[in-house]
């Protein structure tokens, strides 16, 4: 298989891929609200005469290319945005105030649509099926789990799955990943400290949830510094505190939000148990009450099959050069691609997007995040080759 030829084919449709990405970027939608995004995907699939199933997982789209007679490989792109107000000055900035594609999911969708276009052109050569998973609600909604539970990996059964994610920590055009655990198991924390409010001039008549919250937050960090093996990885991050409205009033409660992360599900459960115990005990000592909840879904760790990373790495080296392919350290971010790799061999690969010349240096989830669009055709080529080479190997 001529990898460089496919890369050139992908580059030849780069303007088309970028145009789609910019249209998506202007109209970001939050999890399970991706109606216009889904409509755009279906519009382009209709133009390409690619059949699909919709709805799946509420707003998702499941497309198929091939003759359906051989093995089956899947490619996945997530499509939801974040509740972030965009601060970039690009001409195609978000038109939906308070919403932004700050994690690059617009890039993921456009790259996969690019691959759909290339694969459709080669459909007569495909012995088997390539499934294209356009998935909602990666940002906390576990859309991957819902796609899986609604049969995205079945009929025909998927034997391999690949996902790509833009990565501002790497120079444009480089790729990386690792075998084994790449991304963390994650959980959200919702903690409420309830006390007795009153006038700040007479604190002895109150049961101060602000003071109690400060003690809780400080002591939660001891889980990482004193209870977790220094050679293991764990995160307890408090990211939001809400309580009180006036300088002379002690509030009756304080709300605390955060996230817990570990490289194993057992580690995540341990963190959850200890956060709950410490919070409740400290609150009791201050004659307050702690209500600890872990809303939403606990994402499992994203674990790459070692054979699949070697496969993807080999393709990357041949297409991009050995100097542009890296084995990376594990990252404490989470991804619901993990729900697929719990059931199917797969690999999650990151694609470099860092380019200081266009100010594309900010991390994902930042209001100034930018993607270097010159890398999008590389993602399309990788998707295409992952699929074609996998079917070739699985058929022989």
């Amino acid at each position: 298989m001529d990898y460089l030829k496919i890369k050139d084919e992908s580059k030849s449709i780069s303007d088309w891929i970028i145009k789609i990405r910019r249209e998506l970027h202007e109209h970001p939608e939050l999890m399970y609200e991706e109606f216009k995004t889904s409509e755009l995907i279906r519009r382009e699939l209709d133009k390409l005469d690619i059949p699909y199933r919709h709805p799946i997982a509420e707003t998702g789209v499941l497309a198929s290319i091939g003759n359906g007679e051989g093995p089956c490989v899947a490619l996945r792109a997530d499509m939801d945005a974040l509740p972030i107000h965009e601060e970039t000055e690009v001409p195609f900035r978000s038109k939906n105030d308070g919403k932004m594609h700050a994690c690059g999911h617009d890039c993921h969708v456009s790259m996969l649509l690019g691959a759909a276009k290339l694969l459709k052109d080669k459909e007569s050569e495909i012995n088997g099926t390539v499934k294209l998973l356009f998935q909602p609600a990666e940002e906390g909604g576990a859309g991957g789990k819902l796609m899986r539970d609604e049969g995205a990996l079945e009929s025909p059964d998927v034997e391999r799955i690949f996902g790509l994610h833009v990565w501002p920590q790497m120079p444009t055009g480089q790729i990386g990943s690792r075998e084994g655990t790449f991304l963390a198991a994650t959980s959200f924390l919702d903690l409420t400290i309830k006390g007795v409010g009153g006038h700040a001039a007479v604190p002895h008549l109150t049961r101060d949830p602000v003071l109690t919250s400060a003690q809780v937050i400080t002591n939660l960090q001891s889980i990482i510094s004193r209870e977790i093996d220094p050679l293991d990885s764990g995160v307890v991050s408090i990211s939001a505190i809400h309580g009180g409205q006036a300088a002379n009033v002690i509030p009756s409660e304080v709300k605390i939000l955060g996230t817990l992360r570990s490289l194993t599900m057992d580690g995540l459960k341990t963190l959850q148990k200890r956060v709950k115990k410490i919070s409740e005990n400290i609150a009791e000592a201050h004659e307050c009450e702690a209500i600890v909840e872990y809303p939403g879904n606990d994402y499992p760790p994203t674990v790459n099959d070692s054979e699949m990373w070697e496969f993807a790495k080999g393709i990357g080296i041949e297409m991009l050069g050995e100097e542009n392919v890296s084995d990376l350290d594990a990252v404490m971010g989470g991804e619901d691609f993990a729900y697929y790799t719990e059931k199917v061999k797969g690999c999650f690969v990151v694609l470099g997007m860092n380019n200081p010349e266009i100010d594309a240096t900010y991390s994902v989830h930042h209001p100034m995040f930018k993607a270097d669009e010159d890398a999008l055709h590389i993602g399309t080529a990788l998707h295409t080759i992952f699929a074609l080479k996998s079917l070739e190997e699985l058929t022989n």
Side-chain angles (χ1 to χ4, degrees):
M1 184 181 298
D2 191 338
Y3 296 174
L4 295 182
K5 180 181 178 183
I6 292 175
K7 183 182 177 185
D8 288 341
E9 291 173 355
S10 179
K11 191 170 185 177
S12 72
I13 64 169
S14 181
D15 289 345
W16 180 81
I17 297 169
I18 291 171
K19 182 180 178 181
I20 290 174
R21 185 258 164 164
R22 291 184 175 186
E23 184 176 350
L24 290 165
H25 192 86
E26 284 187 312
H27 304 284
E29 298 171 300
L30 304 183
M31 60 180 181
Y32 296 122
E33 298 175 358
E34 309 95 332
F35 301 109
K36 288 186 179 296
T37 303
S38 177
E39 183 179 342
L40 181 152
I41 292 166
R42 288 179 279 121
R43 180 194 76 195
E44 297 303 323
L45 292 173
D46 286 338
K47 289 179 183 178
L48 295 170
D49 196 27
I50 295 174
Y52 55 83
R53 172 185 166 189
H54 171 80
I56 179 172
E58 298 191 25
T59 55
V61 181
L62 176 61
S64 297
I65 300 172
N67 61 18
E69 297 179 2
C72 180
V73 177
L75 306 171
R76 174 269 203 169
D78 41 10
M79 61 189 201
D80 55 323
L82 286 159
I84 293 175
H85 177 74
E86 183 164 10
E87 296 179 6
T88 68
E89 295 300 328
V90 295
F92 50 90
R93 64 181 294 171
S94 171
K95 293 181 178 179
N96 297 340
D97 192 41
K99 301 175 185 178
M100 177 189 176
H101 271 296
C103 201
H105 296 185
D106 52 339
C107 298
H108 303 167
V109 170
S110 60
M111 291 189 296
L112 188 54
L113 283 172
K117 188 176 182 69
L118 296 188
L119 289 166
K120 184 63 179 179
D121 288 341
K122 303 176 187 301
E123 190 169 32
S124 61
E125 307 167 24
I126 295 176
N127 180 26
T129 302
V130 181
K131 288 187 178 183
L132 310 176
L133 280 63
F134 295 94
Q135 177 215 297
E138 189 279 326
E139 298 290 353
K145 182 178 186 298
L146 193 55
M147 290 281 284
R148 186 190 73 183
D149 291 347
E150 293 188 11
L153 302 179
E154 303 166 4
S155 301
D157 291 343
V158 172
E159 297 182 48
R160 294 181 180 180
I161 187 167
F162 297 91
L164 289 175
H165 201 297
V166 298
W167 208 248
Q169 289 80 16
M170 296 179 69
T172 291
Q174 294 188 6
I175 67 168
S177 193
R178 64 181 280 116
E179 66 173 71
T181 301
F182 183 29
L183 297 166
T186 67
S187 171
F188 290 124
L189 167 65
D190 190 330
L191 169 59
T192 302
I193 304 295
K194 291 190 173 185
V196 177
H199 201 298
V202 286
H204 60 289
L205 300 180
T206 72
R207 297 294 178 264
D208 190 349
V210 176
L211 174 63
T212 304
S213 296
Q215 295 290 330
V216 168
I217 292 168
T218 300
N219 279 273
L220 289 183
Q221 301 310 310
S222 70
I223 301 173
I224 303 301
S225 66
R226 287 296 177 267
E227 297 188 31
I228 301 296
D229 188 323
L231 299 179
D232 291 337
S233 297
V235 170
V236 175
S237 284
I238 301 304
S239 53
I241 307 170
H242 304 282
Q245 295 180 339
N248 62 346
V249 178
I250 292 174
S252 60
E253 71 174 39
V254 173
K255 294 280 291 185
I256 298 169
L257 303 177
T259 182
L260 314 180
R261 294 164 189 265
S262 172
L263 293 179
T264 67
M265 282 303 292
D266 286 344
L268 182 64
K269 295 300 181 184
T270 296
L271 291 179
Q272 290 178 332
K273 180 180 177 181
R274 293 300 295 142
V275 166
K276 180 177 174 64
K277 187 72 169 177
I278 289 172
S279 299
E280 290 176 343
N281 285 353
I282 291 175
E284 183 180 6
H286 288 268
E287 298 188 22
C288 291
E289 178 187 6
I291 301 172
V292 182
E293 298 175 313
Y294 301 106
N297 299 273
D298 294 344
Y299 281 20
T302 301
V303 181
N304 287 332
D305 180 85
S306 59
E307 179 187 356
M308 291 301 93
W309 169 229
E310 287 302 313
F311 169 86
K313 182 162 63 171
I315 289 171
I317 290 172
E318 187 165 339
M319 190 176 89
L320 304 172
E322 189 170 2
E323 69 279 6
N324 291 313
V325 181
S326 301
D327 284 283
L328 302 177
D329 294 330
V331 179
M332 298 308 288
E335 241 290 344
D336 75 354
F337 188 79
Y339 289 111
Y340 304 119
T341 54
E342 282 187 320
K343 301 293 184 181
V344 176
K345 290 201 304 185
C347 188
F348 194 67
V349 178
V350 296
L351 173 63
M353 287 272 167
N354 186 291
N355 183 352
E357 292 184 5
I358 62 169
D359 202 27
T361 59
Y362 295 91
S363 180
V364 293
H365 292 224
H366 191 285
M368 287 289 288
F369 168 76
K370 289 183 182 179
D372 186 353
E373 295 174 326
D374 285 344
L376 296 181
H377 76 276
I378 297 174
T380 284
L382 287 168
H383 271 312
T384 303
I385 298 170
F386 288 163
L388 294 176
K389 185 65 175 177
S390 288
L391 291 178
E392 182 181 290
E393 284 192 2
L394 291 167
T395 302
N396 295 332

